[in-house]
Amino acid sequence: MSLYPEARFVTSADRADQFLPDLGAEVAFAGRSNAGKSSAINTIVGRRDFARTSKTPGRTQLINFFELAGGQRLVDLPGYGYARVTDEMREHWRELLGNYFGQRQSLSGLMVVVDSRRGIGDFDRQMLGWGGTLGCRLHVLLTKADKLSRRDCTATLAAAEAELQDLPVTVQLFSATARLGLDPARAVLAEMLATTRL
Ligand SMILES: Nc1nc2c(ncn2[C@@H]2O[C@H](COP(=O)(O)OP(=O)(O)OP(=O)(O)O)[C@@H](O)[C@H]2O)c(=O)[nH]1
Ligand SMILES: [Mg+2]
């Protein structure tokens, strides 16, 4: 059975006035384009093709709002760092994400999805900084861990933890394809959704 049997996609927002009402608890997934955000969401929520996944980076360009249960939402933020976009699109994303983080009082948790082979990037740090300023719970999923050897998994986790030690963040290895780290990721999501900052 799905963990969130009532889960459904609600809307996509291209502008701040299209955001859903800022009530209850919301958990946002952020990450570099192609990092594996949508795959992580699908696996954690337990629904195939819930958030879309693609082999074409930069496909999720809007803020997608999902309702998991009454008053509990999940948000798939547009991926950053995709090289083949115009300056105008990049500026639009910056404004959209800035608006989102600047005002989202119901944001109770932020999951930053990082491709474990790439490591933490500047934009990942910026996201964590924005989320931290809002006072929400921060968690990093080092995903695609199935692509790493056991030894590289250990080294990658240790490096990310050392790099983020100045931030109040927890870090874990994850793989959507190998279903690795699923239980801890689900536990963190449930914990975030159980917290309301309003
Ligand atoms: N091996 C492996 N591949 C993965 C994993 N998660 C995602 N992928 C692959 O990585 C690619 C991108 O995954 P998505 O989930 O679409 O990534 P995204 O971050 O949502 O990408 P955008 O929305 O385009 O920014 C797809 O080809 C996935 O099949 C994983 O855990 N392991
Ligand atoms: Mg996506």
Side-chain angles (χ1 to χ4, degrees), residues 120-138:
I120 315 283
D122 290 347
F123 230 113
D124 298 321
R125 268 197 154 272
Q126 183 166 344
M127 290 285 142
L128 291 166
W130 280 345
T133 302
L134 279 176
C136 65
R137 171 90 165 79
L138 308 173

Side-chain angles (χ1 to χ4, degrees), residues 28-66:
F29 281 69
R32 200 183 163 87
S33 183
N34 210 42
K37 285 177 303 302
S38 301
S39 304
I41 291 170
N42 288 338
T43 312
I44 292 168
V45 173
R47 291 277 198 94
R48 200 188 296 250
D49 294 333
F50 185 52
R52 288 178 172 185
T53 58
S54 69
K55 292 199 189 321
T56 318
R59 179 153 154 186
T60 314
Q61 301 181 348
L62 305 163
I63 296 187
N64 293 312
F65 289 86
F66 302 86

Side-chain angles (χ1 to χ4, degrees), residues 4 25-27 72 108-109 111 136-139 170 183-196:
Y4 302 97
E26 191 163 285
V27 173
Q72 298 187 337
S108 61
M111 297 270 199
C136 65
R137 171 90 165 79
L138 308 173
H139 190 64
T170 47
D183 287 346
R186 283 177 170 166
V188 173
L189 175 66
E191 182 199 317
M192 289 171 168
L193 289 170
T195 319
T196 42

